[in-house]
Amino acid sequence: MSNDITYDAVRTDFIEKTGLITQAEGLPRIAGRVFGMLIFDGEVVSFGDLATKLQVSRASISTSIRILEERGLVKRVTKPGERQDFFQLAPNPYATMLERIHKRNRSIQADIAETIRSLPANSEALGRLNAHANFYASLDAAVAVALSELDTSRNTSAMLQPTAPKDYADDA
Amino acid sequence: MSNDITYDAVRTDFIEKTGLITQAEGLPRIAGRVFGMLIFDGEVVSFGDLATKLQVSRASISTSIRILEERGLVKRVTKPGERQDFFQLAPNPYATMLERIHKRNRSIQADIAETIRSLPANSEALGRLNAHANFYASLDAAVAVALSELDTSRNTSAMLQPTAPKDYADDA
DNA sequence: CGTTTTGTTCAGTCAAAACTAAACAAACTT
DNA sequence: AAGTTTGTTTAGTTTTGACTGAACAAAACG
């Protein structure tokens, strides 16, 4: 097929962009590329293939996978008769990401509340600190809404599972 | 007053925590401390005081302020008869922060949509990419909700301005 | 005018983090 | 058993970015 080149370009582009996005979220770029590759390809991907196709060292794959596993975004699986480890997206990675944000937000809110509690009741700063707390509270509420929305459409989560193997050309 | 020491400790603690939080959001730590100091102290603070009280170089204050101004979180003001520049919180910094997130989200969504558009209609990856897009869409919708909530309570935004000491109830 | 104050810019230092190669350990193969 | 394959860990390199001091330009002061 002549448009395989285009297809691969789109794929590589998506993977690179995902790497940049997650980098801005505080993840190493390679971890983001692994995540992007798993989203795009869907299939279960072997450790070796990750290193080869992304053209990075096995050590980088190892640490990236560790981070992604810790965050609950990726699952390690094995295949009978195969010695390598394989990886796929965790069941609902997006909900997991939101949970994480949620948790962090609540931690921040607790810190601010602690600050407020430690101040004298007539402190001039209370108004601004309450506004500050309110910001994180409403942000948190919004995340909770998004989370419930994601759960609602979880029937759609079947989309996330790896499906029939298809042969993409030999990446870029 | 004997509890002045405690008050300063609470203040310093809040400022440092704010520095750490904003650092995780991709801002330099000092910028976060400046932001935290303006929240806590509320008053208009001079350039020199920022450097002195935060114990950092004037160069750092300069770049931090530049970043905070670019993001619309801080406003530079002058005082008649005073040579120094002074700084205070921008009118509604929290809404501005949410706007920024909103903008970024939409940019990401556009990228993903572009990827989807570039793929053949029967591509096996479409399902997962749609789920990916959906994640950012619902996150974005949630942010929009939080934004409108903030706007709703904008009567409260008077709290953000440096005013006469008023005592808001001390909820937590 | 020269001097001082003030904020920005530039060059350089330092620290943190990403990434790699190499050493390693564990499991499999023969 | 010896030798492979596979993933992790460690040591080292490189890059990135925060921060500082010094040079600088502009304005105010004397």
Side-chain angles (χ1 to χ4, degrees):
Chain A
M1 269 184 222
S2 67
N3 65 353
D4 268 5
I5 294 168
T6 306
Y7 186 85
D8 263 18
V10 171
R11 176 178 172 280
T12 301
D13 195 56
F14 174 78
I15 290 174
E16 288 305 315
K17 274 179 186 163
T18 306
L20 286 177
I21 289 169
T22 64
Q23 185 174 31
E25 314 292 341
L27 285 176
R29 192 185 304 180
I30 291 183
R33 286 198 275 230
V34 169
F35 189 59
M37 183 166 158
L38 291 178
I39 291 173
F40 200 99
D41 291 352
E43 304 160 27
V44 170
V45 180
S46 74
F47 192 100
D49 274 2
L50 284 174
T52 307
K53 294 192 183 172
L54 294 177
Q55 307 178 56
V56 296
S57 70
R58 288 184 307 149
S60 290
I61 296 298
S62 180
T63 62
S64 290
I65 285 291
R66 171 161 40 84
I67 294 171
L68 291 171
E69 279 183 315
E70 279 170 7
R71 297 212 175 190
L73 303 180
V74 158
K75 238 179 61 183
R76 185 185 306 245
V77 296
T78 53
K79 285 187 179 181
E82 291 271 10
R83 296 178 57 182
Q84 280 190 80
D85 292 354
F86 290 77
F87 303 93
Q88 67 184 137
L89 288 182
N92 197 349
Y94 301 113
T96 306
M97 290 171 74
L98 288 184
E99 296 272 17
R100 186 186 176 84
I101 297 174
H102 187 52
K103 190 180 269 182
R104 173 172 168 79
N105 260 346
R106 290 199 313 180
S107 164
I108 293 175
Q109 286 183 79
D111 278 349
I112 300 173
E114 171 68 22
T115 298
I116 291 175
R117 204 175 320 118
S118 304
L119 290 179
N122 64 343
S123 170
E124 183 259 348
L126 277 181
R128 290 182 303 276
L129 287 172
N130 277 323
H132 195 57
N134 185 56
F135 165 67
Y136 284 103
S138 62
L139 188 58
D140 197 31
V143 170
V145 169
L147 193 50
S148 67
E149 244 178 64
L150 268 196
D151 282 343
T152 301
S153 66
R154 194 156 55 164
N155 37 13
T156 322
S157 80
M159 299 193 296
L160 299 175
Q161 297 304 329
T163 54
K166 247 189 181 171
D167 58 337
Y168 310 99
D170 34 338
D171 88 285
Chain B
M1 262 184 230
S2 67
N3 64 354
D4 268 6
I5 294 168
T6 306
Y7 186 85
D8 262 18
V10 172
R11 176 178 172 278
T12 301
D13 195 56
F14 173 77
I15 291 174
E16 288 305 315
K17 274 179 185 162
T18 306
L20 286 177
I21 289 170
T22 63
Q23 185 175 30
E25 315 291 341
L27 285 175
R29 191 185 304 181
I30 291 183
R33 287 198 275 230
V34 169
F35 189 58
M37 182 167 160
L38 291 178
I39 291 173
F40 199 99
D41 291 353
E43 304 159 25
V44 170
V45 181
S46 75
F47 191 99
D49 275 3
L50 284 174
T52 306
K53 294 191 184 174
L54 294 178
Q55 307 176 59
V56 296
S57 70
R58 290 186 303 150
S60 289
I61 296 298
S62 180
T63 61
S64 290
I65 285 291
R66 170 161 40 84
I67 294 171
L68 291 170
E69 280 184 313
E70 280 170 6
R71 297 211 176 191
L73 303 179
V74 159
K75 239 179 63 184
R76 185 185 305 244
V77 296
T78 53
K79 285 186 178 181
E82 291 270 12
R83 294 178 59 182
Q84 280 189 80
D85 291 356
F86 291 77
F87 303 93
Q88 66 184 134
L89 287 183
N92 196 349
Y94 301 112
T96 306
M97 289 171 74
L98 288 183
E99 298 272 16
R100 187 187 175 83
I101 297 174
H102 187 52
K103 192 181 269 182
R104 173 172 166 79
N105 260 346
R106 289 199 314 180
S107 164
I108 293 175
Q109 286 183 78
D111 279 347
I112 300 172
E114 171 68 23
T115 297
I116 291 176
R117 203 175 320 116
S118 304
L119 289 179
N122 63 344
S123 171
E124 182 260 349
L126 277 180
R128 289 182 304 275
L129 287 171
N130 278 322
H132 196 57
N134 185 56
F135 165 68
Y136 285 102
S138 62
L139 188 59
D140 198 31
V143 170
V145 169
L147 194 50
S148 67
E149 243 178 64
L150 268 196
D151 281 345
T152 301
S153 66
R154 194 154 58 165
N155 35 14
T156 324
S157 80
M159 299 193 297
L160 299 175
Q161 299 303 331
T163 55
K166 232 190 194 172
D167 54 340
Y168 307 96
D170 39 330
D171 69 297

